[in-house]
């Protein structure tokens, strides 16, 4: 149930960012949910592989290359989902940063006090 709520909150964040950023477009709410699922899957499967393959560059840049990897993940989601479009890598980087920021705010709602 928690995973489903996180995907829905991510979809809401995708819709909000698509309305704000001119270089990002999403066709509708169903496309936003599909984008949220694809981004979650890409972060789970592809991101660790990219991190291992680019480890020397990531170490040299003190971890800043991880931002580029996040942008690549967003561009891959653009390639997989037909109702989602990102203009270029710079919009993908900005979208990735703002998506992470919005996710941290929205996911804080889901935290339960123990």
């Amino acid at each position: 149930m928690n995973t489903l709520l996180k995907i829905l909150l991510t979809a809401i964040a995708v819709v909000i960012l698509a309305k704000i950023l001119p270089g990002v477009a999403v066709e509708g709410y169903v496309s936003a949910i599909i984008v949220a699922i694809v981004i979650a899957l890409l972060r789970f499967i592809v991101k660790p592989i990219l991190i291992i393959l680019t480890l020397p560059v990531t170490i040299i840049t003190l971890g800043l290359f991880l931002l580029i990897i996040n942008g690549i993940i967003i561009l891959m989601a653009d390639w997989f989902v037909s109702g989602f479009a990102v203009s270029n890598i710079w919009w993908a980087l900005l979208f990735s940063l703002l998506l992470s920021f919005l996710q941290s705010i929205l996911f804080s709602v889901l935290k339960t006090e123990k």
Side-chain angles (χ1 to χ4, degrees), residues 6-112:
K6 284 186 177 184
I7 288 175
L8 290 176
L9 288 176
T10 302
I12 291 170
V14 167
V15 169
I16 291 170
L17 290 175
K19 300 249 187 232
I20 294 172
L21 299 175
V24 179
V26 66
E27 286 185 5
Y29 297 110
V30 175
S31 294
I33 292 171
I34 294 170
V35 167
I37 293 169
V38 168
I39 288 175
L41 288 174
L42 289 173
R43 284 181 179 169
F44 182 71
I45 297 169
V46 177
K47 190 173 180 177
I49 296 168
L50 288 176
I51 289 173
I52 290 171
L53 291 176
T54 61
L55 191 60
V57 177
T58 304
I59 291 172
I60 289 172
T61 61
L62 302 175
L64 289 177
F65 194 74
L66 293 173
L67 295 173
I68 302 297
I69 291 175
N70 287 336
I72 291 169
I73 296 289
I74 299 300
L75 288 176
M76 288 175 74
D78 172 25
W79 190 75
F80 284 122
V81 180
S82 62
F84 178 63
V86 180
S87 298
N88 55 32
I89 187 72
W90 301 111
W91 286 114
L93 288 172
L94 184 61
F95 180 82
S96 173
L97 285 170
L98 293 176
L99 181 65
S100 297
F101 179 71
L102 270 177
Q103 281 178 330
S104 67
I105 291 171
L106 292 173
F107 290 173
S108 67
V109 174
L110 293 179
K111 284 187 181 176
T112 57

